DNA sequence: CTAAAATCCTGGTGGC
DNA sequence: TGCCACCAGGATTTTA
């Protein structure tokens, strides 16, 4: 569930407690989540200091003093806790990173979809991602250019991280509503005007998500309250806040898709 | 190229 | 009350 805005908020919150700290050990309780061989992770990570934490798409990116990159992806139910070693254990903690100040970074992840990568070359993890929609140099013309020669449906394209990075189910639906576009439209039917509206809708939806400190959903409370501002996501059968028609739900690309068939064409 | 389906997972929910 | 089928979904992989 955490999408670009939620990950951005989490990254901002982790910088204070973690930048400058040095890893002293790693405990892996669910090896399937670690995409680097565990012995290699345990041999390479300790001793490296966290120089900076950034975000790329929905990945948290720890820049390490040894030149390596630690990437964490929270997927559906992941959460990160920085706690003193004396803090009681939690059965849903899958990986524990020991720090040099008697604290631990605990990767809690009920559904076990989250992933951990330690790599020398960051492109091994993030090399095939599409553009960052909130980047200063990502312009309407860049967005429109993505649609050239594409013929897929709009919603699955927005969820495709190779097409554009960081958008998930919530912000895809909210962006299509704000742009007045039916998520079932195919890319080659969108006019220049449609693409202009969609560009601004995506940027505004993601920015609003960050301003509201993300959405708290999926029983993972993150402090945000953007969930109180959804206009279509999760509102199946309820009246459209703009026209009053019932919000529809269809499945596109295997994902629940919520929209107003009156306002979105 | 597009797209649908399967995969990985558990907790919550709705039906009976 | 208890049991079970089913749903949620990010990203990848498989199949058409």
């Amino acid at each position: 569930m955490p999408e670009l805005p939620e990950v951005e908020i989490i990254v901002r919150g982790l910088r204070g407690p973690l930048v400058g700290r040095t890893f002293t050990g790693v405990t892996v309780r669910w090896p399937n989540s670690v995409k680097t061989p565990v012995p290699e992770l345990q041999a390479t990570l300790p001793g490296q200091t966290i120089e900076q934490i950034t975000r790329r798409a929905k990945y948290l990116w720890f820049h390490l003093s040894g030149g390596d990159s630690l990437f964490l992806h929270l997927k559906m139910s992941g959460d990160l806790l920085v706690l003193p070693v004396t803090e009681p254990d939690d059965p849903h903690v899958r990986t524990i990173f020991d720090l040099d100040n008697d604290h631990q970074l605990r990767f809690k992840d009920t559904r076990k979809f989250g992933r951990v990568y330690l790599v020398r070359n960051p492109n091994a993890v993030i090399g095939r991602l599409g553009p960052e929609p909130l980047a200063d140099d990502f312009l309407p013309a860049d967005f429109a250019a993505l649609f050239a020669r594409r013929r897929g449906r709009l919603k699955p394209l927005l969820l495709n991280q190779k097409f554009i990075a960081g958008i998930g189910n919530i912000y895809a639906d909210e962006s299509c509503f704000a742009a007045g576009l039916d998520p079932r439209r195919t890319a080659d039917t969108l006019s220049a005007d449609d693409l202009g509206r969609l560009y601004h809708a995506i940027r505004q939806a993601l920015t609003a998500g960050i301003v509201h400190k993300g959405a708290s959903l999926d029983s993972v409370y993150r402090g945000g309250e953007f969930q109180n501002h959804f206009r279509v996501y999760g509102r199946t059968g309820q009246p459209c806040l703009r026209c009053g028609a019932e919000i529809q739900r269809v499945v596109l690309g295997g994902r629940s898709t919520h929209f107003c068939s009156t306002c979105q064409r």
Side-chain angles (χ1 to χ4, degrees), chain A residues 156-212:
Chain A
L157 267 185
L158 295 179
L159 294 180
N160 181 347
Q161 302 300 299
K162 297 183 186 71
F163 180 78
I164 188 167
I167 300 173
N169 213 29
I170 293 170
Y171 293 90
D173 282 2
E174 294 298 319
S175 297
C176 287
F177 177 81
L181 293 173
D182 188 321
R184 299 168 296 186
R185 287 271 294 274
T186 49
D188 56 356
T189 68
L190 297 172
S191 68
D193 191 56
D194 290 335
L195 293 177
R197 290 202 315 281
L198 185 56
Y199 169 85
H200 291 291
I202 289 170
R203 303 247 298 189
Q204 281 174 15
L206 295 173
T207 302
I210 293 173
V211 167
H212 292 289

Side-chain angles (χ1 to χ4, degrees), chain A residues 14-206:
Chain A
L14 288 177
R15 285 189 185 125
L18 291 183
V19 170
R21 297 266 64 86
T22 299
F23 289 112
T24 58
V26 197
T27 303
V28 175
R29 291 177 174 168
W30 183 249
N32 288 358
S33 68
V34 180
K35 305 310 282 185
T36 302
V38 173
E40 181 185 326
L41 176 70
Q42 292 176 325
T44 310
L45 189 63
Q48 296 206 54
T49 299
I50 302 166
E51 296 189 332
Q52 187 50 276
I53 309 171
T54 59
R55 177 190 60 72
R56 175 74 170 103
K58 302 170 196 171
Y59 291 88
L60 294 99
W61 183 359
F62 292 71
H63 304 251
L64 303 176
S65 57
D68 289 337
S69 293
L70 175 69
F71 289 99
L72 304 181
H73 197 306
L74 304 175
K75 293 285 183 90
M76 303 302 303
S77 59
D79 202 8
L80 293 168
L81 315 167
V82 181
L83 298 170
V85 292
T86 53
E87 199 71 15
D89 196 13
D90 178 317
H92 294 135
V93 169
R94 311 299 182 190
T95 303
I96 300 168
F97 300 91
D98 297 307
L99 302 165
D100 60 348
N101 60 348
D102 294 320
H103 280 59
Q104 295 171 328
L105 171 63
R106 299 183 186 174
F107 192 164
K108 177 180 169 179
D109 184 22
T110 303
R111 294 184 198 172
K112 298 180 173 175
F113 278 174
R115 292 293 178 262
V116 176
Y117 311 77
L118 180 68
V119 291
R120 175 122 302 245
N121 177 4
N123 283 335
V125 178
I126 60 171
R128 293 181 176 181
L129 291 169
E132 281 289 322
L134 291 183
D136 290 339
D137 59 356
F138 183 65
L139 304 176
D142 301 317
F143 181 67
L146 297 177
F147 285 81
R149 295 179 302 281
R150 298 302 291 249
R151 288 172 296 122
R153 289 182 196 257
L154 177 54
K155 169 77 179 271
L157 267 185
L158 295 179
L159 294 180
N160 181 347
Q161 302 300 299
K162 297 183 186 71
F163 180 78
I164 188 167
I167 300 173
N169 213 29
I170 293 170
Y171 293 90
D173 282 2
E174 294 298 319
S175 297
C176 287
F177 177 81
L181 293 173
D182 188 321
R184 299 168 296 186
R185 287 271 294 274
T186 49
D188 56 356
T189 68
L190 297 172
S191 68
D193 191 56
D194 290 335
L195 293 177
R197 290 202 315 281
L198 185 56
Y199 169 85
H200 291 291
I202 289 170
R203 303 247 298 189
Q204 281 174 15
L206 295 173

Side-chain angles (χ1 to χ4, degrees), chain A residues 201-242:
Chain A
I202 289 170
R203 303 247 298 189
Q204 281 174 15
L206 295 173
T207 302
I210 293 173
V211 167
H212 292 289
K213 301 200 180 303
S216 296
L217 230 63
D218 205 40
S219 69
V220 181
Y221 179 69
R222 303 173 193 282
E225 46 94 23
F226 189 61
Q227 68 278 11
N228 300 323
H229 300 270
F230 293 166
R231 292 196 278 178
V232 286
Y233 181 83
R235 298 194 62 248
T236 309
Q238 296 179 45
C240 171
L241 298 174
R242 187 168 159 270

